[in-house]
Amino acid sequence: IGQSVFSDPSDASARLCKKCVERKIAEQPTHCSVCEEALAAGQPYYRSPDEKVCLCAGCLEAVKAAKERRPKACSGCRSLFTLESPIFTSPSDAKLFLCKQCAEAKNADLGANCAECNKPFVEGQKVYESRERGGKSICEKCARLEATKSAMSRRPQRCSECKSKFSPNSQIFGS
């Protein structure tokens, strides 16, 4: 009788005694786990189910937005991604999202070496498909060289009027 009853800030339907409210206040996190900004007394926050992560309202909104942008399924096998699933992206195709199994299978198809210079591919290296080599995998340096050669081959070689040969350093004006 005469005991104060308090609302629980994290659960509006819960009612707490003074001792439990004081304990909850003492247990309230002091900083956001993501942005590390200080949490003011009474500032709303979100605590993960395992209670290891505490987010301020701003970081919680950012996490929600990131989850909404997260692809739902693998572009290869169409299996659904879980929150724990690693998602592999392609440096050459921003709309390609693969599960681990499909990414490993795709990487196995690449071959171990560049089809042009024969240097081994390393993890995380950008790999390109060569038009000149029938779609085989080439490294970024060789892809640039291939693109330059392709551009040079489209360059006019001779004068349309007198048929004299242009030097490789000639500037081409007009289309």
Side-chain angles (χ1 to χ4, degrees), residues 6-18:
F6 299 90
S7 294
D8 183 346
S10 61
D11 182 1
S13 64
R15 302 292 178 247
L16 303 172
C17 67
K18 183 178 179 182

Side-chain angles (χ1 to χ4, degrees), residues 83-145:
L83 289 177
E84 295 81 31
S85 300
I87 298 175
F88 296 84
T89 58
S90 168
S92 59
D93 184 354
K95 294 179 182 176
L96 183 68
F97 302 99
L98 299 173
C99 66
K100 185 175 182 181
Q101 291 80 8
C102 289
E104 286 174 350
K106 187 168 180 62
N107 285 339
D109 291 343
L110 292 178
N113 298 331
C114 172
E116 182 69 30
C117 68
N118 208 30
K119 288 185 180 173
F121 292 122
V122 294
E123 190 173 332
Q125 179 178 2
K126 288 184 179 180
V127 177
Y128 298 84
E129 194 174 287
S130 171
R131 289 189 181 130
E132 290 180 9
R133 297 225 171 232
K136 292 193 177 190
S137 302
I138 57 173
C139 66
E140 187 171 14
K141 180 181 176 185
C142 291
R144 283 192 184 131
L145 287 171

Side-chain angles (χ1 to χ4, degrees), residues 19-170:
K19 181 179 174 184
C20 289
V21 166
E22 288 171 348
R23 180 183 51 78
K24 276 205 162 249
I25 290 171
E27 290 174 354
Q28 180 175 346
T30 57
H31 291 81
C32 173
S33 300
V34 175
C35 68
E36 298 181 357
E37 291 289 322
L39 296 171
Q43 178 180 349
Y45 64 91
Y46 167 80
R47 195 182 288 261
S48 64
D50 63 4
E51 298 200 2
K52 291 181 181 178
V53 177
C54 171
L55 302 175
C56 65
C59 289
L60 177 60
E61 290 305 314
V63 167
K64 284 181 181 177
K67 281 184 181 177
E68 288 172 10
R69 288 189 310 268
R70 182 179 170 92
K72 306 287 186 247
C74 173
S75 302
C77 67
R78 300 285 178 220
S79 63
L80 296 177
F81 291 124
T82 65
L83 289 177
E84 295 81 31
S85 300
I87 298 175
F88 296 84
T89 58
S90 168
S92 59
D93 184 354
K95 294 179 182 176
L96 183 68
F97 302 99
L98 299 173
C99 66
K100 185 175 182 181
Q101 291 80 8
C102 289
E104 286 174 350
K106 187 168 180 62
N107 285 339
D109 291 343
L110 292 178
N113 298 331
C114 172
E116 182 69 30
C117 68
N118 208 30
K119 288 185 180 173
F121 292 122
V122 294
E123 190 173 332
Q125 179 178 2
K126 288 184 179 180
V127 177
Y128 298 84
E129 194 174 287
S130 171
R131 289 189 181 130
E132 290 180 9
R133 297 225 171 232
K136 292 193 177 190
S137 302
I138 57 173
C139 66
E140 187 171 14
K141 180 181 176 185
C142 291
R144 283 192 184 131
L145 287 171
E146 185 177 290
T148 302
K149 285 182 203 172
S150 177
M152 290 298 286
S153 69
R154 291 189 305 269
R155 182 185 168 103
Q157 303 297 314
R158 297 183 177 274
C159 173
S160 301
E161 290 290 317
C162 70
K163 306 297 182 203
S164 65
K165 195 170 184 179
F166 293 126
S167 75
N169 300 347
S170 299

